Amino acid sequence: HLEVACSVSEMASRPEHRGPPDLFYNETEARKYTQNSRMMEVQSRMAERALELLALPEDQPAYLLDIGCGSGLSGEVLTEAGHHWVGIDISQHMLAVANERGVSGDLFLWDMGEGVGFRPGTFDGAVSISALQWLCNADTKSQHPPRRLYRFFCSLYACMARGAKAVFQFYPENPAQMELITQQAMRAGFTGGVVVDYPNSTKAKKMFLCLFTGGAPALMPTGLGTEVQESSSLDTVSFIEARRQLKKKGRARVPLKSREWVKAKKERAARQGRVVRPDSKYTGRKRKSKF
């Protein structure tokens, strides 16, 4: 599903505009990822760059999640680096090709817009190549992109170890789409920013969303092909500061121990994978001092 080696010239005919990913990536499309050497090379190169941005400890195997793993090209990069991985994808045809190629990761047929259903703290990191932009499109009336993005980021945050990182190579269609993605990631608890490689090149330009969980804010990596890091640093600061301001505003609006405060606390606990009782008419109700 989600391996797209598209250049700027292909933006006018974006795959996500042609139909849902589970239908677009049919058997014919999936076969291209075993037959088209150029496509395979680009996919592997982007996965190598995402792994570099993940900045994992050297000579220490990690347990990683490959989101939109497709035919397993990005997973092979993780395997060659000595890591263990789990891959999820919405296209059964892509996963069939991955199985035929004998990839070493565990594969699951999964719609990431429904959230990733793994135990809290499972993964040491996550990578994703050309998948994230698909969540910005509504293929049915019931799909709501902001809600699906928020559900995805919340569940991802919960299943990652504290201090872990996630790197998404993606193709935002416009600034509004970029803002939508980063806003939902911020609401879910992530900090981070966008790294742009070769920003002045039409063909080589690539964008990576780098997200951090917990701990002190990490330094953003430098984009390739640029000598000036100021714009990247500014973007990172505004991302982290915007999250702080959002949390500050939220605290000011919701009175302590109120019904809204209790429900928000329960929602946070649920995102972290804890068992939470369902809401009722008694949720957040003040008790009398005497019975």
Side-chain angles (χ1 to χ4, degrees):
H1 122 254
L2 300 167
E3 304 175 48
V4 186
C6 70
S7 63
V8 174
S9 61
E10 294 172 315
M11 287 296 185
S13 180
R14 297 174 65 95
E16 60 266 28
H17 290 173
R18 302 183 204 172
D22 52 331
L23 299 181
F24 176 81
Y25 288 99
N26 53 29
E27 185 175 359
T28 302
E29 197 70 24
R31 291 293 170 191
K32 293 180 181 179
Y33 291 90
T34 59
Q35 299 170 355
N36 189 318
S37 59
R38 170 61 180 168
M39 192 174 290
M40 295 171 67
E41 178 188 355
V42 172
Q43 184 77 10
S44 298
R45 195 185 313 134
M46 291 191 296
E48 290 171 357
R49 175 56 173 156
L51 186 58
E52 179 184 358
L53 292 171
L54 210 54
L56 295 167
E58 295 183 7
D59 302 323
Q60 183 177 335
Y63 193 49
L64 305 176
L65 178 63
D66 187 354
I67 304 161
C69 62
S71 62
L73 291 172
S74 52
E76 286 183 342
V77 172
L78 303 181
T79 299
E80 291 171 2
H83 302 299
H84 307 287
W85 58 279
V86 172
I88 61 173
D89 201 282
I90 198 172
S91 169
Q92 60 180 343
H93 299 291
M94 280 291 204
L95 294 179
V97 171
N99 275 319
E100 289 176 10
R101 300 178 68 246
V103 298
S104 62
D106 296 320
L107 305 175
F108 294 89
L109 182 64
W110 203 281
D111 177 8
M112 63 179 179
E114 297 298 321
V116 289
F118 296 98
R119 292 181 178 181
T122 298
F123 297 104
D124 301 314
V127 296
S128 178
I129 308 300
S130 308
L132 192 56
Q133 69 273 2
W134 285 90
L135 289 182
C136 296
N137 292 271
D139 297 309
T140 66
K141 290 183 179 180
S142 62
Q143 290 185 351
H144 186 249
R147 191 179 302 124
R148 282 169 59 80
L149 280 163
Y150 181 61
R151 185 186 298 121
F152 164 68
F153 282 125
C154 284
S155 62
L156 178 62
Y157 190 98
C159 74
M160 294 179 66
R162 182 171 177 81
K165 301 175 184 177
V167 177
F168 298 82
Q169 184 278 323
F170 70 128
Y171 295 103
E173 185 173 1
N174 48 48
Q177 200 173 89
M178 171 86 78
E179 183 178 358
L180 172 63
I181 291 171
T182 55
Q183 184 182 52
Q184 298 309 315
M186 181 177 65
R187 285 186 62 207
F190 285 103
T191 57
V194 176
V195 173
V196 183
D197 285 353
Y198 306 106
N200 299 319
S201 171
T202 302
K203 293 184 178 181
K205 181 178 180 180
K206 293 291 183 292
M207 305 185 74
F208 296 85
L209 177 64
C210 301
L211 301 178
F212 314 125
T213 62
L219 293 175
M220 285 292 294
T222 306
L224 300 178
T226 174
E227 298 178 357
V228 182
Q229 193 179 351
E230 294 180 4
S231 60
S232 176
S233 301
L234 290 174
D235 289 344
T236 307
V237 171
S238 62
F239 192 170
I240 296 172
E241 185 60 29
R243 178 171 177 263
R244 289 173 178 165
Q245 292 297 328
L246 183 65
K247 290 175 66 178
K248 190 173 181 181
K249 288 171 64 178
R251 285 196 297 266
R253 285 199 305 267
V254 181
L256 190 65
K257 302 294 184 181
S258 65
R259 179 180 175 86
E260 291 76 14
W261 181 87
V262 172
K263 292 180 70 174
K265 188 173 182 180
K266 290 174 69 176
E267 288 176 2
R268 286 196 300 272
R271 290 201 302 269
Q272 295 168 358
R274 301 177 186 175
V275 178
V276 179
R277 293 183 178 180
D279 291 338
S280 70
K281 63 179 182 180
Y282 300 106
T283 300
R285 178 180 290 185
K286 291 185 178 180
R287 297 189 179 187
K288 297 181 180 179
S289 58
K290 295 181 180 180
F291 289 98

